[in-house]
Amino acid sequence: MNAIHVLMLGTSLLCGWGGSGAQARSPEERVSTETRTLERVVAFTGASGVELAGTLTLPGARRGARSAGLVLIAGSGPTDRDGNQPPAFKTDLLKQIAARLADRGVVTLRFDKRVTGANRSRLPAALGDFCRWENFVDDAIAALRCLQKQPEVDGDRTGFFGHSEGGMLALVAAEKIKADRHPVYALVLASTPGRPIDEVLHDQLARLLKQQGAPAEQTTFFLDKNTQICAALRSAPTVPADVPPGLAALFPAYLGQFLHGELLVSPADIAHRFAGPVLILQAEKDVQVLADKDASKLDAALRSRVRDSHTLAILPGASHNLKAVSSEADPGVEGPVKDEALRALDDWVKSQLRHSITESPRK
């Protein structure tokens, strides 16, 4: 069977894999004259001893106070701390979110994933163990611990803002440390799947095959093959040898351990067990994570909690990256984050993260 070009999903949900006007303060710190926020470069140790790099963004006018904080977790693929995959894919999503949160009095830490950005030079020759799903979970936890140790941050009011696959990592990380001294206080799940990842991938593939005009025989072949591969990976952390060329970008051999771990995640079930406040940001025009299948499932899971405190914001005319969509062909990658997303985030911060400890920073 001839393989069609099913995939270029590296910037999609799954794992195909400071600016002008800044006044220099030190090699590690700067103040943005546009937003009047303080940015500090930080380093911390992630899973398996890997050194990771990130950017701490602080409200510039809140010196001497301890504020709530969020770790920003990027989506799938080799995505950096700003939400980009240079040179071709630039959203600046997390960079923009960090600036907005700082303006609202919330400290953020965004970091390069272990496979990209400042961390790319430290990649090992063999990526299988390095890219285990559990390592990305533990990297997020290490980032949270780094944030909680900052003198400007109230460690009891910290959490995650996870975008896309980053929302799944946020859920798993929150559950893993729920019994710790400083558990996750709150979550923002932006464009986050509510279903197991194989179901999400099935819908993504079906849409792409339809767009590409694939005949019924090829559509059935690829969708069935995807189901078989995901079933095999759920059982064992090894990518099957018979992955067809059209799916090779989704299932490279080195990601076997990553995909095995991810396929075992049921986001809605974990969301139901999370005790804190949650904001779901779901774009109406998202074609990768769906409002009617994913956000609705997260919403139902959270509503069924004994003590629920969550908000669902459906963002009209917005893309997977929370950007404006002008037409069906517009991927909504560039430009500013939609005002509706920012206002929903503002309202949630005001109601759930508004309490800061106005005292001298911890020594």
Side-chain angles (χ1 to χ4, degrees):
M1 179 177 291
N2 294 328
I4 62 173
H5 295 293
V6 174
L7 283 179
M8 281 305 294
L9 281 181
T11 58
S12 177
L13 174 68
L14 296 182
C15 309
W17 278 69
S20 62
Q23 177 182 354
R25 293 170 62 86
S26 77
E28 299 297 315
E29 196 171 272
R30 70 175 190 176
V31 172
S32 168
T33 57
E34 296 177 0
T35 62
R36 301 190 184 281
T37 59
L38 177 68
E39 288 197 336
R40 181 187 305 153
V41 175
V42 297
F44 59 94
T45 303
S48 63
V50 174
E51 291 301 311
L52 300 174
T55 299
L56 194 75
T57 305
L58 304 117
R62 296 184 67 108
R63 301 296 182 86
R66 283 197 277 147
S67 301
L70 292 174
V71 171
L72 311 185
I73 309 177
S76 64
T79 309
D80 67 19
R81 71 187 75 180
D82 292 336
N84 303 329
Q85 294 180 14
F89 183 76
K90 183 175 181 180
T91 71
D92 274 344
L93 171 62
L94 299 185
K95 184 177 181 180
Q96 292 181 38
I97 292 294
R100 182 68 168 217
L101 286 168
D103 190 51
R104 297 301 183 263
V106 178
V107 179
T108 62
L109 172 59
R110 64 191 195 272
F111 63 100
D112 294 330
K113 295 167 75 171
R114 58 175 43 218
V115 296
T116 192
N119 308 317
R120 191 171 183 85
S121 62
R122 294 186 281 271
L123 291 179
L127 290 174
D129 285 337
F130 187 79
C131 289
R132 293 170 64 243
W133 168 262
E134 294 79 6
N135 283 344
F136 288 90
V137 172
D138 288 344
D139 287 348
I141 293 171
L144 182 70
R145 296 309 185 216
C146 177
L147 176 68
Q148 290 171 337
K149 291 176 182 177
Q150 303 304 314
E152 300 88 351
V153 174
D154 172 11
D156 291 324
R157 288 190 176 272
T158 54
F160 293 119
F161 177 111
H163 176 245
S164 192
E165 184 179 86
M168 294 178 66
L169 290 166
L171 284 164
V172 176
E175 179 152 86
K176 186 170 182 176
I177 61 172
K178 65 182 179 181
D180 289 7
R181 180 182 177 188
H182 293 293
V184 172
Y185 172 74
L187 293 172
V188 181
L189 304 176
S191 308
T192 297
R195 299 170 290 160
I197 206 66
D198 54 331
E199 297 180 31
V200 179
L201 178 55
H202 180 279
D203 286 351
Q204 290 185 0
L205 288 172
R207 180 184 65 85
L208 285 172
L209 287 159
K210 182 178 180 180
Q211 283 183 338
Q212 295 172 4
E217 181 186 10
Q218 285 185 327
T219 296
T220 299
F221 169 78
F222 281 112
L223 293 179
D224 287 350
K225 202 67 180 175
N226 172 70
T227 299
Q228 295 166 15
I229 294 168
C230 288
L233 278 164
R234 185 177 285 106
S235 298
T238 304
V239 175
D242 61 345
V243 176
L247 297 179
L250 273 184
F251 300 108
Y254 76 89
L255 279 185
Q257 295 187 68
F258 180 93
L259 293 166
H260 171 70
E262 185 175 37
L263 282 161
L264 296 176
V265 176
S266 178
D269 290 342
I270 300 175
H272 173 75
R273 296 192 293 268
F274 180 70
V278 180
L279 171 64
I280 304 171
L281 292 176
Q282 175 62 50
E284 177 199 21
K285 298 296 185 181
D286 192 340
V287 296
Q288 297 165 29
V289 174
L290 307 178
D292 61 340
K293 293 185 178 182
D294 291 294
S296 62
K297 192 149 188 174
L298 290 172
D299 181 49
L302 291 164
R303 279 192 287 107
S304 67
R305 297 184 296 177
V306 174
R307 298 180 64 181
D308 179 37
S309 175
H310 90 281
T311 301
L312 169 63
I314 302 295
L315 312 172
S319 70
H320 184 67
N321 291 290
L322 312 183
K323 307 297 183 69
V325 175
S326 60
S327 68
E328 291 296 325
D330 182 0
V333 170
E334 299 180 352
V337 173
K338 283 272 287 181
D339 285 343
E340 291 87 347
L342 297 175
R343 286 197 296 268
L345 188 59
D346 289 349
D347 291 344
W348 183 80
V349 164
K350 185 176 181 180
S351 66
Q352 301 297 340
L353 297 180
R354 64 182 181 274
H355 303 295
S356 304
I357 299 178
T358 53
E359 62 183 32
S360 298
R362 290 169 290 179
K363 300 296 183 181

